[in-house]
Amino acid sequence: MLNHKGEIAECTGDNIFLVRKGVLQTPPLDAGILEGVTRNAVIELACESGIDVREMALTKHDVYIADECFLTGSAAEVIPVVKVDSRVIGDGVPGPVTRSLKKRFHELARS
């Protein structure tokens, strides 16, 4: 979903994250997104892992050229995205940052 400026905001019930050149990117709160509990936990886990996290305005082009993409939400937890608008994201499989954060979140949620 796009905000009033045409920037990526979020999905219908989930927050969106991109990985590009090792940097984790996600729209800032002022993009009109909901501040998700899972989103905050993933940001914290990424920072603890030494991953550079940037909250920044994102466009559809950013999604298309991302190395990785995933969604977060209370019910969804961490869900890899490998295709958007018929365009393959990265290698078309969940990438290493996505897999690592998915695993770390799963461990956190079940501890």
Side-chain angles (χ1 to χ4, degrees):
M1 293 174 52
L2 305 178
N3 65 16
H4 68 284
K5 295 189 259 183
E7 300 165 341
I8 299 295
E10 58 188 2
C11 294
T12 54
D14 300 313
N15 293 108
I16 186 168
F17 287 83
L18 306 176
V19 179
R20 177 88 169 133
K21 298 182 180 179
V23 176
L24 186 63
Q25 305 169 340
T26 192
L29 297 177
D30 67 5
I33 68 171
L34 294 174
E35 184 177 4
V37 173
T38 306
R39 175 186 182 271
N40 289 342
V42 167
I43 290 171
E44 188 174 316
L45 291 169
C47 289
E48 289 172 1
S49 298
I51 298 169
D52 185 10
V53 178
R54 297 187 191 161
E55 293 183 70
M56 56 192 282
L58 298 170
T59 66
K60 288 196 297 185
H61 179 72
D62 292 314
V63 176
Y64 298 153
I65 65 169
D67 299 322
E68 302 178 42
C69 178
F70 64 89
L71 309 177
T72 63
S74 295
E77 295 190 351
V78 177
I79 296 190
V81 175
V82 297
K83 188 184 281 187
V84 174
D85 295 339
S86 301
R87 297 172 188 240
V88 174
I89 304 298
D91 296 330
V93 296
V97 173
T98 300
R99 289 191 317 266
S100 173
L101 290 172
K102 179 179 174 88
K103 179 179 184 284
R104 294 195 68 209
F105 183 81
H106 183 84
E107 290 167 354
L108 175 67
R110 275 125 187 104
S111 64

